[in-house]
Amino acid sequence: MTALAAAALVVSGGSTTASASDAPSRTTHGPCQYTQTPDEPAARPVPLPPDPRHTPSHGTVGMAVRTSQGPLPLRLDRAKAPCTVQSFVHLARHRFYDRTVCHRLTAYPTLKVLQCGDPTGTGEGGPGYEYKDELPVDLPPAPSDPTGVRRLYRRHASAADRAAQRPAVLPALMNCGAGTVGQARLVSR
């Protein structure tokens, strides 16, 4: 702030403090519509991801997540979740995940999860933006469903239903509320 601007605030009785909710949210104009979340700022500063009019929606992106136990290879499928892949790659390029810890390990027989990638180390730190869900359309029937009908599982589906849907290692994005996803995590089964 310049001295002139500071003086103008003093003369006008203005204040330089503003809450996060006073800041307008920015939204990208492409199909992903990444939207800043002023009430939940980024745990580590990153800009909004690029959101080209034609977000890449075919092919795969290979990545390796370096861990203290060696590299963890990932293959991200743009056809299944183009906005999620775009966000995950963007965060990795901006070093959002660098020097983060794995803050949660769940080893239940029906759900084995290793969560990593939160700069705060608490599971609460996100990238400061959200975007719409990209729900899978090829889920198998619920194991407990005798009709064999394909179902989209609710957010609070049973652990057994969720575990039956997942491959051995899956990069996942944590849900930030109905219709949104946020920070990427690694989920292992």
Side-chain angles (χ1 to χ4, degrees), residues 161-173:
D161 286 346
R162 288 191 310 265
Q165 302 174 48
R166 295 191 172 119
V169 175
L170 171 74
L173 287 149

Side-chain angles (χ1 to χ4, degrees), residues 97-172:
Y97 304 115
D98 286 9
R99 298 173 308 282
T100 61
V101 298
C102 294
H103 60 273
R104 178 179 176 216
L105 173 63
T106 304
Y108 295 105
T110 56
L111 180 65
K112 296 177 181 165
V113 174
L114 177 63
Q115 281 186 307
C116 307
D118 172 7
T120 69
T122 65
E124 299 290 323
Y129 62 86
E130 62 188 19
Y131 55 99
K132 64 184 178 187
D133 284 330
E134 292 179 301
L135 299 173
V137 294
D138 58 351
L139 294 177
S144 59
D145 183 1
T147 66
V149 175
R150 181 185 64 80
R151 302 201 186 281
L152 291 178
Y153 301 114
R154 293 183 324 276
R155 181 176 178 200
H156 299 291
S158 74
D161 286 346
R162 288 191 310 265
Q165 302 174 48
R166 295 191 172 119
V169 175
L170 171 74

Side-chain angles (χ1 to χ4, degrees), residues 5 22 29 38-39 49 58 65 67-68 95 102 108 112 116 121 128 136-137 144 152 157 163 177 179 182 187 189:
D22 293 341
H29 298 290
D39 291 336
H58 62 279
V65 177
T67 73
S68 61
R95 306 175 69 93
C102 294
Y108 295 105
K112 296 177 181 165
C116 307
V137 294
S144 59
L152 291 178
V187 178
R189 171 175 153 223

